[in-house]
Amino acid sequence: MKKTEWIWFNGKLVPWAEANIHVSTHALHYGTGVFEGIRCYETSQGPAVFRLRAHIERLLNSASAYFKVPFTGEQMEAACLEVIRANHLTSCYLRPIAYLGAGNLGVGRSDNPVEVAILAFPWDTYLGDEAMREGVRICFSRWHRIALSSLPMNLKACGQYLNSYLAVTEAHRRGFNEAIMLNDSGNIAEGSGENLFLVQHGRLVTNGAESAILPGITRDSVLRIAREQGLEIEERPLHVNDLKQAQEAFFTGTAAEVTPIREIDSRLDEASQGEVFRFEVPGPVTQRLQSAYFDAVKGRAERHQDWLTRVQ
Ligand SMILES: Cc1ncc(COP(=O)(O)O)c(C=O)c1O
């Protein structure tokens, strides 16, 4: 991680080394925090944050299930821009986080103070430059996505990421780039930090919130671009058998952007039954959507200027 000079912490900029918390912080013990991942891209008119409002709205919506954030959406948006400017960054990843702070360690102590921080730091392609061109290799995880009856999975809360952590570290140990988790209905949910799209005979297919996914802002952007391109779209649960009918597959996410998938191994370990599904890379539909997505984030798409918030 490339450290920067300043972190926005509870309303003001503090040096990176001083943005610390106490070990009795509630969120450290129980995962009681919510966060966002946002990217700021270099454009011909200077740095611009992609879909800032949508991310801050999701942050506050995630928080509303757990606690109240002591800043408004406008204040949070302004703080994101302030921390980019203070660090003189031309492109970066933003990580706003709000969490229950120190006070009392009772699980139900929703009266502990809520703290808010925003980190801004350079972060290259999440799954690697090669992955963007050549595609990634994915395996099914033996860890299922947390059920909708257990947590509101459409929100982005810290504790949910124990589930992602188990899935992705298991995939790495097995030599894969990422994992795909099934949900408690046995259908496909998503990656540890990405949504999944398939292309079946030119039609774009992806699942929705009913499948226990985080409905991504990148997913939404890609769906809007696909509609503009006149692509046929189906939003419905994804069955394992859908992989057999797909010629292309890709992941979307703020960190992963639009990453082609080369292979999905449905075996849960080397000894178990299952199939290896292989996809076309670069697939023509994936390539078209990936390139339109990069045009949008980098300010080259006239019709998507309203997705960008200029930093200066
Ligand atoms: C579990 C999970 N699914 C999907 C996504 C993609 O969401 P977005 O496109 O809003 O970054 C993320 C990343 O935030 C994630 O953590």
Side-chain angles (χ1 to χ4, degrees):
M1 184 175 191
K2 289 181 193 142
K3 289 182 191 165
T4 47
E5 204 177 345
W6 300 101
I7 289 176
W8 188 94
F9 198 24
N10 295 327
K12 59 179 196 291
L13 293 170
V14 303
W16 181 284
E18 290 170 26
N20 300 315
I21 58 162
H22 195 263
V23 290
S24 65
T25 294
H26 198 278
L28 178 65
H29 297 258
Y30 308 121
T32 40
V34 297
F35 70 96
E36 273 304 314
I38 313 174
R39 275 192 192 268
C40 166
Y41 289 89
E42 198 165 353
T43 76
S44 60
Q45 291 169 62
V49 182
F50 187 65
R51 303 204 61 183
L52 178 60
R53 173 135 311 165
H55 280 284
I56 296 302
E57 272 174 9
R58 187 170 67 185
L59 179 80
L60 296 181
N61 188 40
S62 299
S64 68
Y66 299 101
F67 45 72
K68 185 167 175 3
V69 175
F71 297 97
T72 64
E74 288 74 31
Q75 287 171 319
M76 292 299 299
E77 286 179 33
C80 287
L81 302 179
E82 186 185 355
V83 72
I84 299 170
R85 282 195 292 265
N87 287 304
H88 308 290
L89 293 161
T90 51
S91 65
C92 66
Y93 184 82
L94 284 168
R95 169 52 61 82
I97 181 165
Y99 56 91
L100 275 188
N104 196 300
L105 265 187
V107 174
R109 293 311 292 254
S110 56
D111 53 342
N112 278 11
V114 173
E115 306 209 312
V116 185
I118 308 172
L119 293 93
F121 55 94
W123 204 0
D124 295 335
T125 318
Y126 181 60
L127 294 166
D129 285 338
E130 193 191 317
M132 277 295 170
R133 291 187 312 270
E134 316 284 328
V136 283
R137 291 179 60 244
I138 313 266
C139 61
F140 273 26
S141 174
R142 69 195 165 101
W143 299 106
H144 279 198
R145 201 75 182 120
I146 300 167
L148 284 172
S149 52
S150 300
L151 277 178
M153 295 303 286
N154 60 321
L155 308 180
K156 196 168 164 65
C158 298
Q160 282 159 242
Y161 284 80
L162 277 179
N163 186 218
S164 290
Y165 177 82
L166 286 176
V168 71
T169 52
E170 176 201 40
H172 289 167
R173 263 196 311 278
R174 292 178 56 198
F176 292 91
N177 303 93
E178 246 296 3
I180 280 185
M181 287 174 279
L182 302 180
N183 57 32
D184 65 348
S185 313
N187 291 326
I188 292 173
E190 59 182 340
S192 70
E194 305 88 0
N195 295 129
L196 178 71
F197 281 80
L198 301 177
V199 181
Q200 296 178 331
H201 309 289
R203 198 179 332 114
L204 200 58
V205 192
T206 195
N207 52 9
E210 75 294 333
S211 295
I213 66 163
L214 178 75
I217 290 165
T218 318
R219 171 189 178 279
D220 177 70
S221 308
V222 166
L223 283 173
R224 290 208 216 175
I225 290 169
R227 262 180 224 116
E228 288 157 14
Q229 292 188 353
L231 275 174
E232 233 183 285
I233 298 166
E234 263 185 61
E235 287 183 70
R236 58 162 175 82
L238 292 174
H239 306 281
V240 177
N241 268 340
D242 275 310
L243 299 176
K244 203 177 278 186
Q245 311 301 325
Q247 294 73 48
E248 300 174 45
F250 61 91
F251 265 154
T252 62
T254 298
E257 300 167 308
V258 177
T259 302
I261 297 174
R262 191 166 83 222
E263 183 185 307
I264 300 179
D265 191 333
S266 73
R267 291 171 296 189
L268 298 185
D269 55 53
E270 284 63 30
S272 72
Q273 300 283 317
E275 272 186 75
V276 180
F277 302 94
R278 295 202 169 78
F279 306 99
E280 198 181 335
V281 178
V285 176
T286 309
Q287 217 172 11
R288 224 166 66 210
L289 292 170
Q290 188 193 50
S291 131
Y293 179 75
F294 281 118
D295 282 345
V297 300
K298 296 192 176 168
R300 297 189 294 252
E302 211 42 62
R303 67 194 305 170
H304 295 307
Q305 293 299 318
D306 60 337
W307 281 348
L308 301 174
T309 303
R310 306 273 164 205
V311 174
Q312 302 304 338

